[in-house]
């Protein structure tokens, strides 16, 4: 499970965390910081973790609904495992969608065709991006939210909203306008080949064709199941609402009052929109810095750093550890079940003493 690139991702994440900690805590008075943290009500930390479980559970429910429509009645607990794997791998790779191939991989180990797994993740990613834009756009229209966060995030918010919009439009264009999308992608591929960035154009063309075919299947699934798309979009909106509510829980945990749920959630929605597409694992660094800048009017200059530590601790760092543990369990389960299927196939075709030994072993496992 832990390939070399995953170890490198973890190392890079650790380096970014160290740099971020040094920058944010430089000049901070440790006694004052500790005094601020002591004001925290730990019950609200548990509530925040419960919100994060709900966040992952929404994606799991989306997966269960989509795979069910594709003819795979997968138990909800397995869908939940896929979602935890996605959170973990996305957190240690420099891409918000880095966990999707890992989810597809473990779905395939559970006998779900890779094409269906990829289609599932593509539909969820599309709805998630639309939900993020809806949240960001709606919160920007709230004057008090815009006054709190708009001037603090500045160009970063414009960058995040632009990239998110382009990604969403690009994905929709590939799905519903396949011919123009194919021509554009092929021109980009020729350009990358000419500049030497693509070393094997035939392999890249094959991957491109496969990806475009998956998007076409996604468009067919959307057209055939308009109600399903609305359900997934609604769950993604709820999912992000749970994520954005974590700072509100932290706000209550420190005993603050005066700001409404809408204002705190709105600021977090804009912060997430600003940093979620930065090519950094978990947006570590910009996420913390943007939180401190945008939430300083909410928590105050003296308490915004403790609030950031608790909020990011709940929504990212603590949940990264939890997700890692679940991902290990998913890996062990799928490995064990894969070995059993291999042995069953061997027992079905093997004759003589070896076949009897395999069947006896499988019988022992079933009764034990």
């Amino acid at each position: 499970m832990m390939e070399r690139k995953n170890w490198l991702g973890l190392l890079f994440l650790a380096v970014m965390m160290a740099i971020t900690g040094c920058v944010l805590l430089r000049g901070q008075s440790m006694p004052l910081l500790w005094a601020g943290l002591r004001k925290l009500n730990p019950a609200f930390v548990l509530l925040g973790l419960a919100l994060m479980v709900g966040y992952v559970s929404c994606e799991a429910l989306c997966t269960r609904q989509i795979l069910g429509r594709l003819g795979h009645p997968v138990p909800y607990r397995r869908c939940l495992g896929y979602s935890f794997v996605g959170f973990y791998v996305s957190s240690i790779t420099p891409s918000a969608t880095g966990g999707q191939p890992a989810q597809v991989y473990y779905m395939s180990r559970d006998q779900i065709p890779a094409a269906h797994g990829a289609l599932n993740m593509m539909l969820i990613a599309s709805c998630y991006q639309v939900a993020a834009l809806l949240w960001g756009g709606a919160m920007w229209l709230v004057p008090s939210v815009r006054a709190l966060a708009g001037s603090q995030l500045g160009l970063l918010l414009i960058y995040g909203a632009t990239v998110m919009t382009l990604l969403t439009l690009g994905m929709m264009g590939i799905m519903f306008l396949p011919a123009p999308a194919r021509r554009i992608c092929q021109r980009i591929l020729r350009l990358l080949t000419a500049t030497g960035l693509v070393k094997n154009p035939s392999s890249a063309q094959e991957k491109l064709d496969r990806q475009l075919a998956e998007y076409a299947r996604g468009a067919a699934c959307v057209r055939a199941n308009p109600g399903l798309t609305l359900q997934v979009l609604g769950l993604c909106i709820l999912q992000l609402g749970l994520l954005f509510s974590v700072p509100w829980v932290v706000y209550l945990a420190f005993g603050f009052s005066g700001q409404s749920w809408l204002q705190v959630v709105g600021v977090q929605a804009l912060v997430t929109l600003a940093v979620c597409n930065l090519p950094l694992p978990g947006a570590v660094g910009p996420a913390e810095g943007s939180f401190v800048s945008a939430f300083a009017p909410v928590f105050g200059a003296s308490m915004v750093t403790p609030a950031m530590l608790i909020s990011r601790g709940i929504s990212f760092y603590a949940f990264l550890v939890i997700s890692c543990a679940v991902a290990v369990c998913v890996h062990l389960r799928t490995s064990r079940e894969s070995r059993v299927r291999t042995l069953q196939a061997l027992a079905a075709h093997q004759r003589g003493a070896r076949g009897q030994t395999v069947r006896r072993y499988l019988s022992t496992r079933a009764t034990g």
Side-chain angles (χ1 to χ4, degrees):
M1 179 179 172
M2 290 299 296
E3 299 176 357
R4 181 182 177 184
K5 61 181 181 181
N6 287 342
W7 283 114
L8 291 176
L10 281 174
L11 178 61
F12 184 61
L13 177 62
V15 171
M16 289 300 300
M17 289 167 57
I19 295 173
T20 300
C22 291
V23 171
L24 292 176
L25 297 179
R26 185 177 56 190
Q28 288 280 334
S29 170
M30 290 298 107
L32 289 178
L33 181 63
W34 176 243
L37 291 174
R38 289 181 63 183
K39 298 177 182 178
L40 185 74
N41 184 339
F44 284 98
V45 175
L46 297 178
L47 178 58
L49 290 173
L51 290 175
M52 289 304 300
V53 171
Y55 171 83
V56 174
S57 299
C58 285
E59 182 182 311
L61 187 55
C62 291
T63 295
R64 189 170 188 270
Q65 290 180 332
I66 295 171
L67 292 180
R69 294 292 181 93
L70 294 173
H72 308 289
V74 183
Y76 180 73
R77 65 181 181 278
R78 292 200 174 185
C79 296
L80 197 59
Y82 302 146
S83 296
F84 274 106
V85 168
F87 185 95
Y88 169 67
V89 178
S90 293
S91 298
I92 64 171
T93 53
S95 170
T97 59
Q100 294 180 7
Q103 294 189 63
V104 173
Y105 170 74
Y106 284 107
M107 290 176 192
S108 67
R109 297 190 77 172
D110 282 333
Q111 307 297 291
I112 298 170
H116 288 181
L119 172 57
N120 166 76
M121 299 315 307
M122 181 200 63
L123 291 178
I124 293 176
S126 300
C127 290
Y128 188 93
Q129 290 174 181
V130 171
L133 286 171
L134 289 174
W135 267 104
M139 294 302 104
W140 182 256
L141 295 176
V142 179
S144 59
V145 173
R146 187 167 63 250
L148 285 170
S151 61
Q152 306 297 328
L153 296 176
L155 293 177
L156 193 57
L157 181 58
I158 296 174
Y159 163 83
T162 301
V163 172
M164 181 72 78
T165 301
L166 291 176
L167 287 174
T168 304
L169 291 176
M171 189 172 292
M172 294 300 173
I174 291 174
M175 287 175 64
F176 296 106
L177 298 171
R182 179 178 292 277
R183 288 194 295 270
I184 293 172
C185 290
Q186 288 178 338
R187 288 173 185 170
I188 294 174
L189 179 59
R190 285 196 294 269
L191 176 62
L192 295 176
T193 302
T195 57
L197 295 175
V198 173
K199 305 298 184 182
N200 190 342
S202 59
S203 175
Q205 181 66 53
E206 181 181 345
K207 292 179 180 178
L208 175 62
D209 291 339
R210 186 165 59 248
Q211 192 68 36
L212 290 173
E214 290 175 358
Y215 279 111
R217 284 192 292 269
C221 182
V222 169
R223 288 192 294 268
N225 299 280
L228 174 63
T229 305
L230 291 176
Q231 290 175 14
V232 173
L233 178 59
L235 283 169
C236 288
I237 292 173
L238 173 61
Q239 179 185 21
L240 286 172
L242 294 173
L243 176 66
F244 299 157
S245 294
V246 171
W248 171 246
V249 169
V250 175
Y251 186 77
L252 298 178
F254 281 111
F256 286 110
S257 62
Q259 302 287 352
S260 68
W261 172 84
L262 182 65
Q263 289 172 313
V264 177
V265 167
V267 172
Q268 182 59 58
L270 295 180
V271 168
T272 299
L273 183 60
V275 304
C276 66
N277 285 300
L278 293 173
L280 294 168
V284 170
E288 288 80 4
S290 297
F291 186 104
V292 170
S293 297
F295 277 100
V298 176
F299 289 96
S302 63
M303 290 298 296
V304 68
T305 298
M308 179 275 295
L309 293 174
I310 300 302
S311 182
R312 283 287 283 173
I314 293 171
S315 62
F316 182 72
Y317 296 105
F319 218 70
L320 175 63
V321 175
I322 295 171
S323 298
C324 178
V326 176
V328 170
C329 292
V330 171
H331 180 75
L332 293 176
R333 177 188 63 77
T334 55
S335 298
R336 182 178 64 253
E337 293 178 356
S338 178
R339 287 195 299 270
V340 170
R341 284 193 296 269
T342 301
L343 290 174
Q344 288 173 337
L346 180 63
H349 297 90
Q350 190 73 43
R351 298 289 182 264
R354 180 176 295 181
Q356 291 179 358
T357 301
V358 173
R359 286 189 287 274
R360 190 179 305 114
Y361 172 75
L362 291 172
S363 177
T364 302
R365 285 184 57 88
T367 58

